[in-house]
């Protein structure tokens, strides 16, 4: 059969509250044109993030009931640890309440002021946590990864030549670790090839630099390798994931992504001395080493989720449903990051709205319009998120790309929901020349996109 169906049935439903355009216009103004400030029941289709928004399976809900809430030594932790080790092969597993807590602990124990941490593309919290230690977060994705329209099977790959040049220029002691984000979220959800993971690993080992995976979407990355890289078509997603982790010295993970859970994360490593320091920090701010800020039931949901996420019927459906959205809006003439990524479709807002300059945030203008037109919540991944305002001159340094991300929660929306999204985007495409830019009226120094306030330019 050609039709790829959702490989699950629906057991519980959540009603969607319908809204009209005029109601949404008022809601948008009250939220200061920042969709992070919306109430979620004012949203029809919520594509803000795929993080923690997935639907859990009946097996995960059974795990929730099985959860053992003992403070120390819970069997739920043992099941969680076994599941993580079975995939990653790392010696030590530290549970955390989500991915950024793993990042904070990792960078706090490895980085200092003056250091540089290279990555294909740092995720926003990763960048912020690196910079918070005084170190510099540097993105070294291959040039194709910065060109939205260029086709390449592994646009998340690290530029190995640039990485080697950086190490030669800075010296090994200024580079406390090398990271690789699989898939490359901020770069369009694009995968990294096994060949590239191996090459980064070899370079890191030859220079004695620790190599970590930001593993949030390891299963989607593994399935892309299966589909696209020679020699992997006959291997299982689990075997491919195991090989990916085998080249690294540790990982950070948000279980809210490919853990198929609503909360959770972990940090893994092989170095016992480092792990000792990390556990001390964990106890200080997250919790004891067998729960790390999570309830026992959360550990159970993650343990089951890590198994389910590697089921190939699931991964096949997952990548097909993302591709479905991407191909339909692209064929209507909407410029998207090509090829479609794993968890999200990224609209190239700069190419779609060339009349709005980066300093007027074309991505944010599109995000607001998609909400107004159809109640769809998406997120800007451009100069609001990654641009910088000079505190003295007020001048804006734009991001490399002005993207709008439509992230697909796992196992949540059906094909007719997505058909509706396609229709709304096609409508917006018809009158795109009428869209106007925005100005920021309030912002914070770190992660400004979460709390910034905007005004429409015609009203300033
Ligand atoms: C979500 C994410 C993180 C942070 O994880 P949280 O659970 O949101 O704290 C880090 N890196 C990448 C690539 C992510 O997608």
């Amino acid at each position: 059969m050609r039709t790829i169906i959702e490989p699950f049935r629906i057991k519980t439903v959540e009603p969607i509250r319908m809204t009209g355009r005029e109601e949404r216009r008022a809601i948008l103004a009250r939220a200061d044109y920042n969709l992070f400030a919306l109430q979620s029941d004012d949203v029809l289709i919520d594509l803000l993030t795929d993080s923690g928004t997935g639907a859990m399976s009946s097996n995960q809900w059974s795990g929730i009931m099985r959860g053992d809430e003992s403070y120390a030594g819970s069997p739920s932790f043992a099941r969680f640890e076994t599941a993580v080790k079975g995939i990653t092969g790392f010696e030590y597993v530290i549970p955390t309440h989500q991915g950024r807590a793993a990042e904070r602990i990792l960078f706090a124990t490895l980085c200092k002021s003056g250091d540089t941490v290279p990555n294909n593309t740092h995720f926003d919290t990763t960048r912020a946590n690196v910079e918070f230690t005084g170190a510099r977060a540097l993105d070294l994705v291959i040039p194709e990864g910065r060109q939205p329209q260029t086709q390449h099977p592994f646009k998340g790959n690290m530029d190995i030549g640039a990485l080697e040049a950086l190490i030669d220029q800075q010296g090994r002691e200024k580079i406390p670790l090398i990271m690789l984000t699989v898939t490359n979220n901020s770069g369009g959800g694009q995968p990294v090839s096994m060949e590239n993971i191996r090459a980064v690993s070899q370079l890191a080992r030859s220079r004695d630099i620790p190599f970590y995976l930001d593993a949030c979407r390891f299963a989607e990355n593994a399935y892309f390798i299966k589909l696209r890289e020679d020699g992997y078509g006959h291997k299982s997603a689990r075997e491919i994931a195991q090989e990916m982790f085998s080249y690294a010295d540790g990982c950070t993970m948000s279980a809210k992504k490919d853990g198929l859970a609503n909360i959770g994360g972990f940090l893994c490593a092989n170095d016992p001395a480092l792990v000792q320091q990390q556990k001390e920090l964990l106890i200080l701010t997250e919790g004891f080493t067998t729960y790390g800020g999570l309830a026992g039931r959360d550990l159970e949901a993650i343990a089951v989720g890590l198994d389910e996420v590697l089921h190939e019927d699931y991964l096949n459906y997952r990548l097909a449903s993302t591709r479905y959205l991407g191909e339909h809006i692209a064929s209507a003439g909407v410029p998207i990051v090509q090829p479609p990524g794993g968890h999200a479709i990224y609209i190239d807002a700069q190419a779609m709205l060339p009349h709005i300059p980066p300093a007027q945030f074309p991505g944010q203008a599109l995000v607001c319009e998609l909400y107004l037109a159809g109640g769809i919540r998406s997120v800007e991944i451009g100069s609001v998120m990654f641009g910088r305002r000079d505190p003295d001159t007020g001048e804006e340094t734009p991001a490399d790309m002005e993207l709008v991300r439509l992230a697909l929660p796992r196992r949540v929306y059906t094909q007719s929901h997505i058909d509706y999204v396609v229709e709304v985007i096609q409508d917006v495409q018809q009158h795109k020349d009428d869209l106007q830019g925005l100005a920021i009226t309030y912002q914070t120094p770190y992660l400004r996109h979460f709390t910034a306030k905007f005004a429409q330019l015609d009203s300033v």
Side-chain angles (χ1 to χ4, degrees):
M1 292 297 141
R2 273 176 295 113
T3 305
I4 298 169
I5 61 170
E6 287 89 353
F8 49 80
R9 297 179 296 191
I10 296 169
K11 193 177 226 140
T12 310
V13 296
E14 267 183 293
I16 293 174
R17 189 180 81 80
M18 296 296 169
T19 54
R21 189 183 175 96
E22 286 317 306
E23 185 182 1
R24 290 194 294 266
R25 190 187 299 284
I27 292 169
L28 196 55
R30 270 205 307 278
D32 296 300
Y33 303 92
N34 186 339
L35 275 66
F36 282 103
L38 294 185
Q39 299 294 317
S40 64
D41 56 4
D42 291 337
V43 175
L44 296 188
I45 307 284
D46 203 345
L47 308 182
L48 177 68
T49 175
D50 64 322
S51 178
T53 52
M56 291 207 294
S57 67
S58 46
N59 271 334
Q60 285 178 293
W61 284 108
S62 317
I64 293 273
M65 289 308 295
R66 191 168 58 230
D68 179 305
E69 304 303 340
S70 305
Y71 192 93
S74 157
S76 298
F77 175 71
R79 276 190 281 273
F80 164 85
E81 189 183 35
T82 303
V84 175
K85 284 188 175 177
I87 298 167
T88 67
F90 295 122
E91 294 276 325
Y92 303 99
V93 181
I94 296 177
T96 61
H97 79 277
Q98 58 183 90
R100 69 197 66 183
E103 293 171 349
R104 189 188 65 82
I105 291 171
L106 176 68
F107 301 134
T109 48
L110 284 179
C111 299
K112 59 183 185 319
S113 181
D115 286 347
T116 298
V117 179
N119 200 330
N120 44 1
T121 310
H122 287 273
F123 181 63
D124 58 354
T125 61
T126 319
R127 169 173 292 278
N129 273 298
V130 168
E131 290 175 351
F132 193 70
T133 69
R136 174 170 67 129
L138 187 66
D139 295 339
L140 294 179
V141 72
I142 55 170
E144 291 86 341
R146 297 181 204 269
Q147 301 155 5
Q149 316 299 329
T150 308
Q151 290 277 353
H152 186 288
F154 292 104
K155 281 176 103 168
N157 281 355
M158 182 86 93
D159 184 335
I160 301 291
L163 180 61
E164 195 161 11
L166 173 80
I167 302 170
D168 289 341
Q169 183 205 344
Q170 302 267 297
R172 181 255 156 266
E173 53 299 330
K174 292 258 183 225
I175 301 175
L177 75 160
I178 297 170
M179 281 201 103
L180 200 50
T181 305
V182 294
T183 59
N184 192 25
N185 183 354
S186 310
Q190 300 292 328
V192 180
S193 70
M194 193 73 86
E195 187 187 17
N196 194 254
I197 296 174
R198 214 180 287 123
V200 173
S201 174
Q202 277 167 6
L203 182 56
R205 289 195 174 156
S206 73
R207 305 299 174 89
D208 198 24
I209 301 173
F211 168 42
Y212 278 70
L213 289 180
D214 177 340
C216 296
R217 296 180 185 77
F218 73 95
E220 290 169 11
N221 200 90
Y223 205 69
F224 275 120
I225 288 175
K226 182 181 172 95
L227 296 179
R228 296 182 183 171
E229 191 161 350
D230 283 347
Y232 288 93
H234 66 286
K235 294 204 168 149
S236 70
R238 175 176 286 271
E239 287 169 327
I240 296 171
Q242 286 165 333
E243 183 179 340
M244 286 163 51
F245 286 110
S246 74
Y247 299 119
D249 300 300
C251 72
T252 55
M253 172 75 187
S254 169
K256 302 173 73 173
K257 311 337 182 342
D258 276 353
L260 295 181
N262 300 125
I263 196 70
F266 51 86
L267 169 62
C268 293
N270 287 330
D271 176 348
L274 178 67
V275 168
Q276 192 49 43
Q277 285 178 42
Q278 292 173 338
K279 285 187 172 172
E280 284 164 20
L281 256 185
L282 182 83
I283 293 171
L284 198 62
T285 59
E286 290 280 303
F288 188 61
T289 54
T290 60
Y291 73 89
L294 293 169
R297 53 182 171 270
D298 300 324
L299 296 168
E300 294 277 356
I302 297 167
V304 177
L306 287 172
D307 178 59
E308 289 181 353
V309 78
L310 288 167
H311 290 186
E312 304 208 1
D313 289 339
Y314 162 75
L315 285 168
N316 191 33
Y317 139 80
R318 174 75 177 154
L319 300 193
S321 53
T322 308
R323 201 163 56 232
Y324 180 90
L325 171 60
E327 286 174 355
H328 279 78
I329 63 173
S331 70
V334 176
I336 64 164
V337 174
Q338 291 285 4
H343 67 291
I345 293 301
Y346 293 69
I347 299 176
D348 183 347
Q350 192 62 85
M352 183 173 176
L353 307 171
H355 61 288
I356 304 180
Q360 296 176 11
F361 310 113
Q364 192 65 20
L366 181 58
V367 161
C368 289
E369 187 63 22
L370 293 177
Y371 178 72
L372 189 63
I376 297 166
R377 178 154 66 171
S378 55
V379 68
E380 193 258 19
I381 302 207
S383 290
V384 176
M385 191 179 274
F386 289 119
R388 283 297 148 92
R389 173 174 293 184
D390 187 301
D392 302 322
T393 64
E395 208 173 308
E396 285 278 343
T397 309
D400 287 342
M401 294 193 270
E402 302 296 339
L403 303 178
V404 167
R405 185 182 71 182
L406 305 161
L408 297 167
R410 293 169 180 78
R411 309 188 288 201
V412 169
Y413 292 115
T414 64
Q415 187 167 334
S416 71
H417 289 123
I418 300 304
D419 287 336
Y420 169 83
V421 172
V422 169
E423 194 183 324
V424 170
I425 294 173
Q426 283 171 344
D427 259 27
V428 170
Q429 166 81 357
Q430 300 292 315
H431 68 266
K432 65 190 177 67
D433 297 338
D434 303 335
L435 268 62
Q436 290 193 330
L438 297 154
I440 295 187
T441 57
Y442 167 81
Q443 62 176 308
T444 53
Y446 292 102
L447 300 172
R448 67 176 178 177
H449 53 286
F450 287 126
T451 51
K453 295 182 180 179
F454 300 88
Q456 288 187 309
L457 272 181
D458 53 1
S459 67
V460 199

